[in-house]
């Protein structure tokens, strides 16, 4: 396929294009879901195709096909060129591309056990056993479990001379327990909500989750939550668990640092960003404890890869350094507007979509505390765990998050009492400046978020967030009714 792609780029070069690239991708995906010990869905999908991107003077064009023949590739090359020429007539500014070395390389995400070589029966039996164990706990009304596996093979070529082959494997799973009573409907999830946790590792990632072993605990907690009180609204010192903090980082840091969003190209759909260009290297985004990186090089991170979909090598760059805002997520075009090199954030969710600026692994780096030390510093407050819902404005400033459970902390210790329906809210930079401690690397984990939506037409991207539990002072918790 590589030769066909290079041949079609030679054809486009003969037409006088400034730049062109072509991606051939194969996507293999398996999804399994189980409810109360019964298999509900088992799907296996495969698709493949080629996307070609063309830059004429200052206009971009893109077209894609699921056919592999040379005539089909030439047809979409002509189509992409026509779109680029039409776009050029409406161009309002000069398009520059940040320089990038030529890469002729291959990358394979590291894994020990290919999840597609594990039998469907073994996967289903784990989910059946886990959901039945949860359902056995008195008071549990329903238990669900799911697994997702994906294998992506890519070939990328560009008129710059880059030739890159990649294989990325994704594995993920999670379980839930639900209960209903006079106190309402409650859910507990493991290891995280909305499908669990995901990684670019193999079957060994699923084995390490120990889903069956953790099922009884979430079942017992959800039964307890139905009868639990709600938190009296007020300002409290809180600790936010790693799985909840992952979504906090995603919504209040990851999205506002996307430079296309900052420059206004997402305004009509997803919104803008409070991190305008004048904030770069000037805004005190958080306390001195807060350092955030964009790192696509972490083995196993769901946002890890070898090269982005513009052929830019995966990198680790700082976004916030000791509280100071210092960097954006960029593609080659937006990086050039700042006179910088792209940090490799141009990604497409399939061969049929144009690459746009997406998160990689956006990580809150670990601190120096143990979890017990963070808890011991609170006279009265709560440990909030596992996301339940969220809302944030179009500039990513004012936010509200709800978690599945709150554990009471009194006199520096967990009391064993739980509260239901915890909600906390704040304004992004004020919130991060209230962080006075982050747990150390022993508590740090890269959580996989497989459902980040952006763009028109919508693209759903896999991203990651490394986090450890962190403590925040004087946060508004609860809602007066």
């Amino acid at each position: 396929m590589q030769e066909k792609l290079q041949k079609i780029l030679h054809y486009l070069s003969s037409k006088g294009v400034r730049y062109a690239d072509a991606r051939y991708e194969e996507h293999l995906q398996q999804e399994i879901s189980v409810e109360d010990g019964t298999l509900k869905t088992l799907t296996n999908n495969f698709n493949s195709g080629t996307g070609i991107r063309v830059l004429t003077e200052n206009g971009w064009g893109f077209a894609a096909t699921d056919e592999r023949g040379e005539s089909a590739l030439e047809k979409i090359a002509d189509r992409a060129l026509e779109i680029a020429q039409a776009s050029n007539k409406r161009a309002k500014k000069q398009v520059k591309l940040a320089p990038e070395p030529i890469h002729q390389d291959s990358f394979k995400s590291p894994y020990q056990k290919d999840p597609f070589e594990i039998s469907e029966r073994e996967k289903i039996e784990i989910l059946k056993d886990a959901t039945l164990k949860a359902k056995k706990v008195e008071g549990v009304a329903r238990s669900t479990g799911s697994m997702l596996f994906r294998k992506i093979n890519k070939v990328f070529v560009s008129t710059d001379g880059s030739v890159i082959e990649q294989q990325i494997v994704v594995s993920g799973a999670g379980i839930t327990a639900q209960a209903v009573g006079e106190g309402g409907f409650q859910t507990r999830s493991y290891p995280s909500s909305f499908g669990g946790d995901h990684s670019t590792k193999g079957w060994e990632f699923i084995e390490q989750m120990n889903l069956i072993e953790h099922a009884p605990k979430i079942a017992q907690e959800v039964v307890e939550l139905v009868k639990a009180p709600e938190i009296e609204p007020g300002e409290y010192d809180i600790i936010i668990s790693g799985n909840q903090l992952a979504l906090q980082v995603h919504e209040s840091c990851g999205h506002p640092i996307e430079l296309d969003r900052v420059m206004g190209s997402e305004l009509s759909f997803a919104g803008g960003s409070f991190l305008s260009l004048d904030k770069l290297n000037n805004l005190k985004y958080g306390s001195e404890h807060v350092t955030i990186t964009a790192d696509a090089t972490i083995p196993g991170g769901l946002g890890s890869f070898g090269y982005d979909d513009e052929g830019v090598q995966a990198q680790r760059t700082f976004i916030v350094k000791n509280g100071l805002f210092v960097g954006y997520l960029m593609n080659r075009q937006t990086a050039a507007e700042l006179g910088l090199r792209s940090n490799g954030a141009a990604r497409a969710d399939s061969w049929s979509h144009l690459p746009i600026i997406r998160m990689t692994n956006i990580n809150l780096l670990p601190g120096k505390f143990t979890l017990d030390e963070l808890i011991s510093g609170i006279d009265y407050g709560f440990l909030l765990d596992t996301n339940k819902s969220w809302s944030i404005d179009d500039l990513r400033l004012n936010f509200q998050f709800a978690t599945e459970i709150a554990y009471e902390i009194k006199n520096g210790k967990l009391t064993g009492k739980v509260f239901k329906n915890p909600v906390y809210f704040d304004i992004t930079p004020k919130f991060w400046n209230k962080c006075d401690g982050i747990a150390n690397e022993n508590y740090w984990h890269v959580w996989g978020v497989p459902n980040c939506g952006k763009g028109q037409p919508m693209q759903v991207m896999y991203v990651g967030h490394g986090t450890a539990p962190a403590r925040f002072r004087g946060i508004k918790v609860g809602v007066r009714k």
Side-chain angles (χ1 to χ4, degrees), residues 70-86:
E70 291 186 5
S71 61
L73 295 180
E74 189 169 313
K75 185 176 179 181
I76 62 164
D78 287 336
R79 180 63 175 157
L81 180 57
E82 288 174 10
I83 295 170
Q85 290 168 336

Side-chain angles (χ1 to χ4, degrees), residues 465-478:
H465 302 294
T467 57
R471 186 174 62 203
F472 298 81
R473 299 292 188 183
I475 303 298
K476 292 179 181 177
V477 180

Side-chain angles (χ1 to χ4, degrees), residues 175-429:
I175 55 173
T176 70
Q178 298 165 344
V180 184
E182 292 183 2
F185 172 84
Q186 298 295 327
T187 297
R188 281 294 284 143
S189 307
Y190 173 82
S192 190
S193 49
F194 303 107
D197 193 15
H198 299 73
S199 168
T200 54
K201 294 181 181 176
W203 177 248
E204 68 277 5
F205 182 69
I206 307 300
E207 292 178 319
Q208 291 162 5
M209 284 187 183
N210 295 319
L211 293 174
I212 298 171
E213 179 182 320
H214 286 84
K217 184 187 177 190
I218 62 168
Q220 289 156 8
E221 284 190 340
V222 79
V223 172
E224 193 175 354
L225 273 177
V226 171
K227 302 173 183 176
E230 293 186 344
I231 296 172
E232 179 67 21
E235 290 191 0
Y236 298 95
D237 296 338
I238 63 172
I239 294 170
I240 299 178
S241 66
N243 61 4
Q244 167 59 25
L245 208 51
L247 192 65
Q248 179 76 55
V249 169
H250 181 95
E251 300 293 346
S252 69
C253 181
H255 277 304
I257 60 173
E258 296 162 344
L259 193 50
D260 55 349
R261 189 179 181 115
V262 173
M263 291 181 168
S265 58
E266 287 286 314
L267 275 176
S268 63
F269 184 56
S273 170
F274 74 97
L275 293 173
S276 50
L277 296 179
D278 60 303
K279 303 289 195 309
L280 187 64
N281 298 317
N282 291 310
L283 176 69
K284 189 173 181 295
Y285 178 92
S287 71
E288 69 275 14
H289 300 278
V290 178
T291 292
I292 297 173
T293 60
D295 188 352
T297 70
I298 302 174
L302 193 60
S304 295
F305 47 80
Y307 296 84
D308 76 356
D309 291 323
E310 288 188 318
V312 176
Q313 193 164 26
Q315 297 164 48
R316 179 181 187 267
T317 59
F318 283 97
I319 301 301
V320 175
K321 199 168 188 178
N322 299 323
L324 183 67
F325 170 56
V326 296
Y328 292 106
L329 291 170
M330 301 173 287
N331 59 10
R332 291 184 66 185
Q333 181 176 341
T334 55
E337 293 192 37
L338 299 188
L340 300 172
R341 181 193 173 196
S342 167
N343 55 358
R347 306 174 68 196
D349 70 352
S350 82
W351 51 268
S352 61
H353 284 149
L354 192 69
I356 56 177
I357 296 177
R358 305 307 301 261
M359 295 179 224
T360 55
N361 301 300
I362 309 302
N363 307 315
L364 175 67
L365 298 191
K368 60 183 180 180
F369 298 95
T370 65
L371 181 58
D372 284 344
E373 287 172 337
L374 292 176
I375 293 172
S376 68
I378 293 180
D379 293 331
Y380 188 80
F382 300 93
L383 190 162
L384 307 183
D385 185 60
T386 312
N387 184 260
K388 190 174 186 178
S389 67
W390 69 96
S391 176
I392 189 165
D393 69 28
D394 61 349
L395 294 180
R396 303 281 152 173
L397 270 174
N398 299 277
F399 66 77
Q400 171 184 297
F401 286 91
T403 63
E404 290 184 352
I405 192 168
Y407 302 94
E408 185 184 53
I409 301 171
K410 189 180 287 185
N411 299 322
K413 293 183 178 179
L414 290 168
T415 66
K417 186 175 181 180
V418 300
F419 290 76
K420 65 184 177 184
N421 305 328
V423 178
Y424 68 96
F425 47 97
D426 211 322
I427 298 171
T428 296

